[in-house]
């Protein structure tokens, strides 16, 4: 009997449904040639869940994802839900889901496709060959710290990290560095924040178990600058929740479009795979979104959650081939494009190449 995987599919809001449909098209294409079965079960999260059930993270979804082998997620949020109370906003649904699933390690690769070296707003010589893995802590830090409150004349959040939280994300980063170029830059704000000093000390301790890995530390403001000045100096960037959120958006522009970059969130059990971009309400429904970040996230799912490396390699190669043939969605339209495609057409091309 061939292997079978259950995928919880969360399309979400905005361009979410469009880009997920293309990822599924590509997954179906490789699963046929690679001989495994994929079963999809759709679940609600974010604005779509609010409209249907009144809450951004229904219990059904929590139960459903826990029974699945992996979660493939599009994007959530939009102006329609912006005025809701914080705990009822779409974003709270996503944060709650990450916490429930225990996906504390968010891997955000930022690489530059040779084919798109002219697409970045930075000079080709600065970015050609960039290959960075941002390892972002995802279920702690200021996003989740208690106490937090908004009062009449003040509001506060708390940045908190426990020893265990820093240790486990550092171990993930060091393990990844061992499979890459064995360099980690841990990013913090230890010149100002106790929580960052603590972070730094624990990362140093973990480093003792990895003598082959070269560890450096950088303040987050400097790291933002260095990412733009000379991104090739980085191999693995290890950082906390909010710094990782900001730096990964900055890193995405090295590749030319935020529509290209995938992410994998792993941790205690089932993994969550999603593009790093948002729901782009301004272009939703027009069929012009770039599905490649989501297709690439589906490839990460095959690799990290199912160990289907050959199928993942096929998808990655298909994306590269589509780009090198000059196929582009509108976000990359100005750059060596032979043909500007819709979201669906890009999905068709990648699915075709991936199944050969
Ligand atoms: C991301 C997003 C989320 C985050 C939002 C939508 C809550 O920006 O995944 O980077 O801040 O983590
Ligand atoms: Mg973000």
């Amino acid at each position: 009997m061939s292997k079978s995987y259950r995928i919880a599919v969360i399309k979400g809001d905005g361009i979410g449904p469009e880009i997920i449909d293309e990822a599924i098209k590509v997954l179906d294409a490789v699963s046929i040639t690679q001989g495994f079965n994929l079963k999809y079960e759709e679940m609600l999260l974010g604005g779509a869940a609010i409209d249907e059930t009144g809450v951004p993270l229904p219990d059904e979804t929590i139960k459903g994802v826990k029974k699945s082998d992996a979660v493939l997620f599009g994007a959530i949020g939009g102006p329609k839900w912006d005025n809701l109370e914080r705990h009822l906003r779409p974003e709270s649904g996503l944060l709650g889901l990450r916490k429930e699933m225990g996906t504390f390690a968010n891997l955000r690769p930022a690489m530059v496709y040779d084919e798109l070296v002219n697409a970045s707003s930075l000079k080709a010589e600065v970015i050609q060959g960039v290959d960075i893995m941002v390892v972002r802590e995802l279920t702690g830090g200021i996003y989740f710290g208690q106490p937090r409150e908004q009062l009449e004349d003040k509001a506060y959040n708390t940045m908190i990290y426990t020893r265990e939280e820093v240790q486990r994300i550092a171990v993930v980063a060091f393990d990844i560095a061992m499979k890459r170029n064995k360099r980690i830059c841990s990013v913090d704000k230890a010149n100002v924040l106790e929580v960052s000093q603590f972070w730094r000390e624990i990362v140093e301790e973990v480093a003792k178990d990895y003598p082959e890995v070269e560890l450096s530390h950088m303040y987050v403001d400097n790291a933002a600058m260095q990412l733009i000045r000379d991104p090739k100096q980085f191999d693995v960037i290890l950082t906390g929740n909010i710094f990782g959120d900001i730096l990964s958006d900055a890193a995405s522009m090295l590749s030319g479009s935020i529509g290209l970059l995938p992410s994998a969130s792993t941790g205690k059990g089932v993994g969550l795979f999603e593009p790093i971009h948002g729901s782009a309400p301004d272009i939703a429904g027009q069929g012009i979104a770039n599905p490649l970040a989501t297709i690439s996230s589906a490839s990460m799912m095959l690799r990290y959650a199912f160990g289907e490396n050959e199928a993942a390699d096929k998808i990655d190669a298909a994306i590269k081939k589509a780009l090198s043939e000059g196929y582009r969605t509108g976000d990359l339209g100005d750059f060596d494009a032979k043909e500007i495609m819709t979201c669906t057409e890009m999905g068709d091309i990648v699915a075709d190449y991936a199944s050969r």
Side-chain angles (χ1 to χ4, degrees), residues 19-325:
I19 53 181
I20 287 283
D21 285 348
E22 299 318 308
I24 288 180
K25 186 187 285 174
V26 175
L27 283 170
D28 282 341
V30 289
S31 69
I32 292 167
T33 54
Q34 297 293 307
F36 53 82
N37 283 310
L38 298 175
K39 295 208 179 75
Y40 307 100
E41 202 189 331
E42 269 193 56
M43 287 166 210
L44 292 171
L45 183 77
I50 297 170
D51 289 351
E52 191 98 354
T53 70
V55 293
L57 175 57
D59 288 342
E60 285 277 286
T61 299
I62 298 177
K63 281 194 213 122
V65 300
K66 288 186 175 163
K67 276 190 273 172
S68 70
D69 296 315
V71 181
L72 184 64
F73 167 59
I76 43 117
K80 183 176 174 192
W81 306 281
D82 273 353
N83 296 321
L84 295 171
E85 268 178 76
R86 176 141 319 276
H87 72 282
L88 289 174
R89 285 179 60 120
E91 290 80 0
S92 300
L94 176 57
L95 297 178
L97 182 69
R98 289 172 178 169
K99 193 76 171 175
E100 277 290 337
M101 292 176 66
T103 50
F104 62 85
N106 184 213
L107 316 182
R108 297 188 161 188
M111 64 286 187
V112 173
Y113 292 103
D114 279 344
E115 294 76 9
L116 292 178
V117 42
N118 295 317
S120 173
S121 47
L122 300 181
K123 290 195 195 100
E125 67 258 32
V126 174
I127 53 151
Q128 187 148 38
V130 160
D131 180 8
I132 300 171
M133 180 65 89
V134 178
V135 178
R136 168 190 179 195
E137 200 291 324
L138 199 62
T139 54
I142 198 165
Y143 274 46
F144 293 95
Q146 296 290 347
R148 57 188 295 165
E149 201 172 9
Q150 181 170 357
L151 300 167
E152 185 70 22
D153 296 314
K154 65 175 176 186
Y156 51 89
N157 290 89
T158 308
M159 185 130 148
I160 175 164
Y161 269 117
T162 65
R163 177 175 298 277
E164 193 214 338
E165 283 173 328
V166 184
Q167 267 165 350
R168 68 186 182 184
I169 190 71
V171 165
V172 169
F174 278 93
D175 285 343
I176 288 175
M178 286 298 289
K179 295 188 201 133
R180 295 176 46 105
N181 293 323
K182 301 197 171 76
R183 284 186 295 116
I184 292 189
C185 179
S186 173
V187 173
D188 61 37
K189 190 71 187 173
N191 50 346
V192 176
L193 304 174
E194 282 79 0
V195 62
S196 280
Q197 185 59 43
F198 180 75
W199 173 281
R200 203 175 261 226
E201 286 166 20
I202 292 166
V203 172
E204 285 284 344
E205 275 167 32
V206 173
K208 289 184 189 140
D209 295 334
Y210 298 85
E212 284 173 59
V213 177
E214 180 193 317
L215 171 66
S216 60
H217 301 275
M218 201 179 271
Y219 299 138
V220 62
D221 47 350
N222 185 24
M225 186 266 275
Q226 295 294 342
L227 260 179
I228 310 300
R229 191 187 73 85
D230 175 24
K232 275 183 259 188
Q233 70 185 287
F234 296 107
D235 177 21
V236 175
I237 293 180
L238 162 62
T239 191
N241 205 341
I242 195 162
F243 298 155
D245 179 45
I246 299 164
L247 292 179
S248 61
D249 264 37
S252 77
M253 277 324 287
L254 305 171
S255 75
S257 169
I258 196 165
L260 291 169
L261 296 183
S263 84
S265 303
T266 63
K268 293 177 176 161
V270 179
L272 172 65
F273 300 85
E274 54 173 307
I276 81 156
H277 60 72
S279 59
D282 53 325
I283 60 162
Q286 298 177 28
I288 57 171
N290 185 345
L292 293 180
T294 314
I295 295 172
S296 200
S297 303
S299 158
M300 287 186 97
M301 176 180 76
L302 294 179
R303 195 182 300 283
Y304 289 94
F306 309 153
E308 295 287 352
N309 294 341
E310 214 173 287
D313 289 345
K314 288 217 166 226
I315 295 180
D316 295 350
I319 293 173
K320 271 182 95 62
K321 184 165 162 62
L323 292 172
S324 65
E325 302 277 313

